[in-house]
Amino acid sequence: MEHIINYLRTHRQQHLDELFDLLLIPSVSTLPEHADDIRRCAEFVAQHLSNIGLKQVEIMPTGGHPVIYAEWLEQKNVPTLLIYGHYDVQPPEPLDLWLSPPFEPTIRDGEIYARGASDDKGQFWAYIKAIEAFLKNDSVLPVNVKLLIEGEEEIGSGHLHQFVLDHAEQLKADAILLSDNSQYQRGTPTICYGTRGLVHGEIHVQTAARDLHSGSFGGLADNAIQVLADIISALKNEREQVTIPGFYDEVAMVSDAERANFESLPFDDNELKQEIGIRDVIGEEGYPPLVRRWARPTLEINGIVGGFTGEGTKTIIPAKAMAKVTMRLVPNQDPQKIADAAKAYIEQTLAPSSARVAFIGGADCRAYLTPMNHPIFEPVTRALRATYGKEPVFARTGGTIGVLSTFSNTMGVPIVMIGLCNPDDNAHAPNEHFTEELYYLGIEAAARALYELREWK
Ligand SMILES: [Zn+2]
């Protein structure tokens, strides 16, 4: 293994140059004008995978942007790992807040600045460089690998769910490995073993055929914004509990061991207040902060529209209002059940007779969890300890990677997420960056993980 690490350390400049080539391509998935860039990015990655000796490299169509598939399956009696990543990126706007152009990668103060540097180009590229190092030096990999690099993660992986179902046999593996998340905190190697699920919806309220004169009809006609506000405020109680009937029925309790782990991780209310500019830390009564962040479901109002908000005064009773809502789910909540329960509660219980109220929502995905004590985490722990010279911590994430629940439902295999970048890398924001040193260490961590996992199972 040490010859691989030595090789990686003497090829850092090459690995940086290649990442820069990848970061130059503005593969923004949400904007139609970047469709050619998406295609070019997929071709760039696929070509590279062929060049380094991976087999069956293919750009495979989906209903949307294509996925890249590649494999190397030439070892006997070793596990097969499916490595997941995404080559698409978020839009870079607002451009004027970038200190250097988003698609001209630049190093400042030891940080690689570019859209996609950490999310997720720099992180999935680390695995490709680790694979290359083994193939160049040993002509074999310590494990068998399949790579699945998608192009729609930033727009919800809408077509990947079906793709995974349609190609279940081709994608079959003993475990799934990915890095599309950050370390728990700066300088802390992190194994992430769970994400939350998601339900989304819109609450539409209509109280009259049109906006009404508040002088003529105030005191007679209901107000759509008032009704919407009442509904929204009834969705949670004063203990920050969601009031949708049955919402918590299937929530898996956190084991004592996991709760102890959460409580062992540093978490400082004051630091959080500083970092994100909040005045108080709030949350569901009776649960410590990291349990609330990772292992309890939440409901948020994401946006609200209605009425008159222009300059001056307009004395109306607005007839229509709408709010967008999302809920983060945890194991074992069923997103469809939750969406149905929200609809019934909002439309039948909370809606007053004076208004037409509709909840239009849908189930996005379930949460996923690999048990913290799963044996796969032992070799991964060894790999991270050797790379970073520290014991890794175990964390969940409060966020959602939709395809993971599809993977775990179709394959039933453990999923390991290794955070390679810092938590304050501005993913999705202007001046996204990836610490140059962490990029190189990430490649070493990926190489050591492949090596250590050879005897797992
Ligand atoms: Zn990502």
Side-chain angles (χ1 to χ4, degrees):
M1 186 61 211
E2 286 320 302
H3 68 293
I4 298 295
I5 299 299
N6 287 335
Y7 167 88
L8 293 176
R9 291 186 182 163
T10 52
H11 287 74
R12 287 182 163 189
Q13 188 60 49
Q14 177 205 322
H15 295 160
L16 185 65
D17 293 344
E18 289 168 353
L19 176 60
F20 272 33
D21 289 342
L22 179 62
L23 293 171
L24 280 167
I25 307 171
S27 48
V28 180
S29 47
T30 197
L31 302 171
E33 62 264 36
H34 284 290
D36 284 350
D37 297 316
I38 280 276
R39 186 85 209 164
R40 191 154 58 89
C41 194
E43 278 162 9
F44 175 91
V45 174
Q47 184 61 53
H48 194 81
L49 296 179
S50 296
N51 294 348
I52 67 169
L54 286 165
K55 315 285 180 186
Q56 311 294 334
V57 179
E58 220 182 315
I59 297 176
M60 300 175 78
T62 69
H65 299 314
V67 305
I68 304 153
Y69 176 81
E71 63 182 36
W72 189 96
L73 304 172
E74 295 177 20
Q75 281 269 42
K76 295 257 176 302
N77 303 318
V78 297
T80 298
L81 304 179
L82 176 66
I83 297 169
Y84 163 86
H86 64 89
Y87 65 89
D88 66 321
V89 299
Q90 285 274 322
E93 283 76 13
L95 290 175
D96 55 319
L97 294 184
W98 285 79
L99 297 177
S100 51
F103 297 108
E104 290 174 25
T106 306
I107 294 187
R108 284 193 307 278
D109 305 326
E111 305 283 341
I112 305 163
Y113 282 88
R115 171 58 83 230
S118 58
D119 183 13
D120 180 41
K121 287 175 173 174
Q123 296 205 74
F124 85 72
W125 201 250
Y127 290 87
I128 294 174
K129 293 296 99 184
I131 289 168
E132 178 186 36
F134 281 110
L135 290 177
K136 263 207 174 148
N137 286 278
D138 301 348
S139 305
V140 292
L141 292 178
V143 288
N144 289 326
V145 297
K146 297 176 176 181
L147 272 73
L148 178 69
I149 316 291
E150 71 150 318
E152 295 192 315
E153 197 279 336
E154 301 295 4
I155 47 174
S157 303
H159 299 93
L160 194 61
H161 172 79
Q162 194 56 47
F163 182 90
V164 171
L165 298 182
D166 292 346
H167 298 84
E169 196 50 41
Q170 183 182 5
L171 298 174
K172 211 168 140 229
D174 299 301
I176 294 161
L177 193 58
L178 68 144
S179 292
D180 191 15
N181 58 308
S182 69
Q183 300 191 340
Y184 175 65
Q185 58 181 17
R186 275 186 169 264
T188 305
T190 303
I191 294 172
C192 180
Y193 60 96
T195 60
R196 287 198 283 193
L198 196 67
V199 164
H200 73 274
E202 293 177 354
I203 306 169
H204 290 262
V205 175
Q206 185 157 8
T207 47
R210 57 182 179 280
D211 288 353
L212 302 171
H213 190 297
S214 72
S216 311
F217 302 103
L220 299 173
D222 211 340
N223 179 314
I225 297 176
Q226 185 69 56
V227 171
L228 181 60
D230 292 346
I231 290 172
I232 289 171
S233 58
L235 288 172
K236 280 197 240 179
N237 64 22
E238 67 290 348
R239 286 178 288 166
E240 287 288 324
Q241 293 163 327
V242 176
T243 54
I244 298 168
F247 188 73
Y248 296 101
D249 282 3
E250 285 167 319
V251 168
M253 293 306 286
V254 175
S255 69
D256 289 346
E258 209 185 350
R259 201 174 167 116
N261 173 56
F262 287 178
E263 282 169 5
S264 76
L265 295 173
F267 183 89
D268 182 335
D269 278 21
N270 286 321
E271 248 174 55
L272 183 72
K273 285 188 204 173
Q274 280 274 315
E275 185 193 326
I276 58 174
I278 56 173
R279 295 189 60 181
D280 259 322
V281 177
I282 58 107
E284 191 187 352
E285 207 173 279
Y287 296 92
L290 289 180
V291 175
R292 302 200 305 267
R293 179 188 253 178
W294 294 338
R296 297 292 297 171
T298 54
L299 177 149
E300 301 296 341
I301 305 301
N302 312 117
I304 183 164
V305 286
F308 174 75
T309 55
E311 225 176 299
T313 309
K314 190 178 181 197
T315 49
I316 54 159
I317 303 172
K320 281 185 184 180
M322 189 275 279
K324 292 218 171 218
V325 189
T326 50
M327 291 167 248
R328 297 279 179 177
L329 308 185
V330 299
N332 302 315
Q333 286 177 297
D334 176 341
Q336 193 56 54
K337 264 195 198 170
I338 297 294
D340 293 345
K343 185 175 176 66
Y345 183 51
I346 290 167
E347 293 182 358
Q348 289 157 33
T349 307
L350 298 182
S353 59
S354 55
R356 262 175 298 183
V357 176
F359 177 81
I360 302 164
D364 292 78
C365 62
R366 283 177 168 270
Y368 107 84
L369 190 71
T370 300
M372 226 183 92
N373 58 2
H374 194 284
I376 195 169
F377 292 127
E378 287 168 30
V380 177
T381 297
R382 286 198 297 276
L384 296 192
R385 192 190 291 137
T387 305
Y388 299 95
K390 266 189 186 179
E391 205 57 24
V393 301
F394 281 75
R396 295 200 204 180
T397 164
T400 301
I401 300 179
V403 71
L404 298 188
S405 62
T406 311
F407 281 149
S408 75
N409 290 341
T410 49
M411 298 188 202
V413 299
I415 301 176
V416 181
M417 301 172 73
I418 305 174
L420 302 180
C421 63
N422 281 315
D424 50 0
D425 273 353
N426 293 340
H428 295 206
N431 302 309
E432 178 179 349
H433 53 97
F434 191 178
T435 307
E436 186 182 354
E437 185 66 19
L438 286 188
Y439 170 56
Y440 302 135
L441 285 178
I443 301 172
E444 292 183 22
R448 287 192 195 272
L450 297 182
Y451 179 75
E452 293 290 346
L453 283 164
R454 74 198 185 284
E455 283 171 356
W456 168 71
K457 253 190 117 98

